[in-house]
Every structure is written in C-alpha cells, then in structure tokens.
Amino acid sequence: MDTKFIKKEDGEKGILEAARLLKNGELVAIPTETVYGLAANALDGDAVEKIFLAKGRPQDNPLIVHISQTDEILPLVEGFDDRAKALAEAFWPGPLTIILPKSERIPTQVSAGLDTVAVRMPSHPTARAIIKACGFPLAAPSANTSGKPSPTSAAHVMDDMNGKIAAVVDGGNCDVGIESTVITLAQNTPRILRPGGITHEQLESVLGNVEIDKAVFKALENDEKVLSPGMKYKHYSPNARVIIVKGSLENFAKFAADRQEKTCVVCFDGEERAMSVPAFSYGHADNPQEQARELFDVLRRVDDENMELALVRFPSLDGVGIAVYNRLLRAAGFEVVEL
Ligand code: TXA
Ligand code: MG
C-alpha cells in the first residue's frame, strides 16, 4: 500500500482527505499534542482491527477513543458522572484520558473485551478538525510499531508505518512528547493507570484523593492482574539495551567510558562535553517538560546510530518527570544502576 504523506500546507484540503480515508475504513496517522495516533473509525470494529495488524499490537490491549468536543462522550459511556465532568472541564482538551464503563456503541475490538472505555479530547487543532470532519470518534493508539518508542513527528510515523497505512497527516513535532495521563473512574477511588502530561497533583486538585497504580513504577509478575493491559508489555524500547544510571556527572561519564559495548549516553543539555562516547541530550536537567518532549526522539536516534547500549541520566521527578521516569523504566526493562 502507498502511504500518502499529507503536508501541513495542504490545510483544509488535507483534513478532508484524511476524513475521506477514515470514512472508507482506512487507517490514518494523525498528530496530537502528546504523540502521533494511528486512527480508525472507533465505531467500526473491522476498521479498528486493522490497527492491531499494522502495529503488531497484542489483541488484549484496548484503545483510546478520541473526540472533538465534550458532549461526544455521552453516547460512548454508561454514565458521565460529576467526577468525569469536573475532569473534562478542567483538563479537556488536553493530555488526559478518562476511563468509564462503556456503552454498547463501543465495539469489542476497541475495549479488547473489557466493560470500560478510555476517552480523550486532544488539544491539537488538526486532530480535532479531522474528528469533526469525520463525524465519528477515532480510536487511536500511538502510531508506532508495538514495543517501539512512540512517534513525536510525522517522520517517526513514516519510519514505522510506511506501506502499512493509508496516510500520515503532518502536524509538526508534538508539544508534550509523551502520551496522555490515563485515569480510571470505573472504581470508587480514581486511579492513575499511566502518568502523563496531567500530573497527580493536578488531578487531586480536582478530585481529592487519587491513587497511583503500582504498575507505574514496578515490573509486574507474570500472573499479576493488571487494570491497564498496556502496562504488561515491554515498551518504548530501542533495539539497544537501555540502563538508567543514577550518580554524579563525573561518575556517570566514567561508567560510560569503561563499557565494552558500543555505548552512547542520553544526558542533559550542556553535559555532552563531559562524555567520551556519543552523547544525545534530552533537555535541561531541571526541565521535565523538555525531557518529555525530547525523550522518544532521542531513543529513536540511539537506534539510528546502531548503538548497543544507551546509558541514561536519571530524570527529574518533578511534575511530568514522573511520566518520563515511567517511560524510561519500561524502555530499560526496569534496569536502574546507582553509582
Ligand atoms: O496520548 C495518548 O494517549 C496517545 C494519543 C495518540 O492520544 N495514545 C496512546 O494510546 O498512548 P496507546 O494505545 O498507545 O495507549 C493506551 C493505554 C494503554 O496502556 C491501554 O492499555 C490503556 O491506555 N487503556 C485503553 N483503554 C483502557 C481501558 N478500558 N482500561 C484500562 N486501560 C486502558
Ligand atoms: Mg502506545
């Protein structure tokens, strides 16, 4: 299949072309403020099935449904309660996904057999314009091959999906750079299943007590029950082995210099000169937003340079830094070294 590249300059025409393909049951990668999504008509189970094939995604991992305005959630869920309303009011459009009991409109392919559905209203104007032009919600996981780092540019999407999907819509580099926060309201106490652009503190300021699922920072045992199936899988990984390293800059640089493998480092801006191996920086040490924005691009560059090992400076844990650490832990298969 020829994958069409829809350019920013195509404007309204490009949006209508993307909508036409989606109405035909095709897959189109679309920009969002978090990462690029691989979209299909969320109400068409056959179209949604193609997403799993293109990504090589495990069948038991449910998808997020994207809407362009808040009232579009009403037919998709069973009960849009006060808590959900308050969250939507505070954080939509934006990087927050809300899980609620699903209505019968949601095909089983979307919910992967669960009785809940995840819904999000992205803030990227192109994403919302495409949903509007379609007239139906879009199911969209991140537009990467399953297991790989999520795409934060149209070029990343082409690297993984060229030839497998109908089109990619270029909307520039993603502002947030990591995926949305996923919170479930399908239980008494709201719980964060995946940290992201909206922080725990922000959520508690609206809802009061919010739990954080233990899978956020911990590898799960094989037989452990998970609320969010996505947490089970190895994720965001380059081909290179990734290790998160905690310690002073000097000790870090020495540790990297002593490795036998083809090694690179992922360090903070301004630290490159202290390194004797190739260095990729992912933002300033005290700026978790920058680290989020640049992380996935850097992980992809590690593979472009055919590295065997990437040693990553321990990220800031402030605000969105928790989400950066969560992604790094998965990329590293939970390998953390303290010097
Ligand atoms: O920012 C984002 O959320 C991006 C953009 C494209 O919107 N999408 C995204 O989708 O990250 P995906 O499929 O890569 O991640 C969705 C996560 C998975 O961990 C999945 O298991 C979880 O959300 N999820 C989806 N529906 C769920 C449900 N009903 N119950 C529990 N977890 C669910
Ligand atoms: Mg994903």
Side-chain angles (χ1 to χ4, degrees):
M1 175 187 314
D2 257 355
T3 300
K4 222 175 259 178
F5 193 87
I6 299 178
K7 299 200 264 321
K8 277 194 201 168
E9 302 82 78
D10 294 340
E12 181 66 15
K13 226 180 72 204
I15 284 164
L16 291 177
E17 175 61 4
R20 184 186 70 79
L21 293 166
L22 287 160
K23 285 178 189 168
N24 279 344
E26 306 274 4
L27 303 185
V28 177
I30 63 168
T32 85
E33 73 280 16
T34 58
V35 301
Y36 276 71
L38 183 54
N41 179 351
L43 304 180
D44 175 352
D46 294 337
V48 169
E49 239 166 72
K50 296 181 187 171
I51 292 177
F52 289 84
L53 281 177
K55 277 183 63 91
R57 183 179 178 98
Q59 296 286 343
D60 67 347
N61 196 2
L63 306 176
I64 296 173
V65 177
H66 297 70
I67 57 178
S68 67
Q69 52 187 60
T70 302
D71 59 8
E72 290 166 5
I73 193 177
L74 298 176
L76 308 177
V77 299
E78 215 49 75
F80 185 54
D81 64 17
D82 288 344
R83 299 180 304 177
K85 262 180 220 152
L87 286 182
E89 194 140 302
F91 303 116
W92 279 359
L96 179 70
T97 295
I98 304 174
I99 295 177
L100 287 166
K102 77 178 194 75
S103 78
E104 65 211 14
R105 300 279 300 274
I106 300 294
T108 50
Q109 288 93 338
V110 169
S111 57
L114 300 177
D115 50 16
T116 53
V117 63
V119 183
R120 162 167 125 80
M121 176 158 74
S123 66
H124 198 296
T126 305
R128 292 235 302 291
I130 292 169
I131 299 166
K132 268 213 171 76
C134 285
F136 47 73
L138 295 176
S142 49
N144 52 294
T145 300
S146 251
K148 291 282 145 202
S150 298
T152 54
S153 71
H156 292 165
V157 178
M158 283 304 265
D159 285 344
D160 285 14
M161 293 296 153
N162 195 6
K164 297 184 177 170
I165 63 177
V168 178
V169 181
D170 186 6
N173 292 344
C174 300
D175 264 358
V176 178
I178 53 173
E179 304 86 343
S180 62
T181 302
V182 177
I183 186 170
T184 180
L185 298 179
Q187 55 175 52
N188 277 335
T189 309
R191 180 183 291 201
I192 294 173
L193 302 183
R194 180 178 72 183
I198 303 293
T199 64
H200 186 217
E201 299 75 47
Q202 284 176 294
L203 293 168
E204 288 204 321
S205 76
V206 172
L207 293 179
N209 185 30
V210 174
E211 297 172 345
I212 302 182
D213 198 78
K214 64 174 191 271
V216 167
F217 296 116
K218 200 172 122 311
L220 290 162
E221 307 296 328
N222 278 335
D223 52 355
E224 231 171 324
K225 190 169 172 278
V226 282
L227 279 180
S228 187
M231 289 292 189
K232 277 192 306 206
Y233 300 105
K234 191 165 178 186
H235 251 135
Y236 318 117
S237 323
N239 296 322
R241 177 179 175 195
V242 175
I243 307 178
I244 306 169
V245 183
K246 205 170 183 173
S248 70
L249 179 60
E250 198 189 346
N251 288 341
F252 181 98
K254 220 178 281 156
F255 184 73
D258 288 345
R259 302 293 304 205
Q260 300 305 307
E261 310 95 312
K262 192 172 174 199
T263 300
C264 67
V265 297
V266 176
C267 61
F268 299 121
D269 288 8
E271 294 180 346
E272 298 89 336
R273 278 184 317 162
M275 306 296 167
S276 58
V277 297
F280 306 97
S281 68
Y282 76 125
H284 289 92
D286 60 355
N287 192 332
Q289 257 108 4
E290 276 181 10
Q291 290 163 33
R293 198 176 302 132
E294 294 177 28
L295 177 66
F296 287 141
D297 181 62
V298 166
L299 290 180
R300 281 176 180 261
R301 271 155 52 200
V302 164
D303 273 352
D304 294 344
E305 302 295 324
N306 290 313
M307 292 293 161
E308 291 167 357
L309 174 66
L311 302 174
V312 184
R313 291 275 276 152
F314 197 90
S316 157
L317 297 185
D318 289 337
V320 73
I322 296 285
V324 171
Y325 186 50
N326 166 273
R327 305 306 190 273
L328 272 173
L329 278 173
R330 279 171 174 70
F334 293 88
E335 231 184 316
V336 184
V337 170
E338 189 155 0
L339 300 176

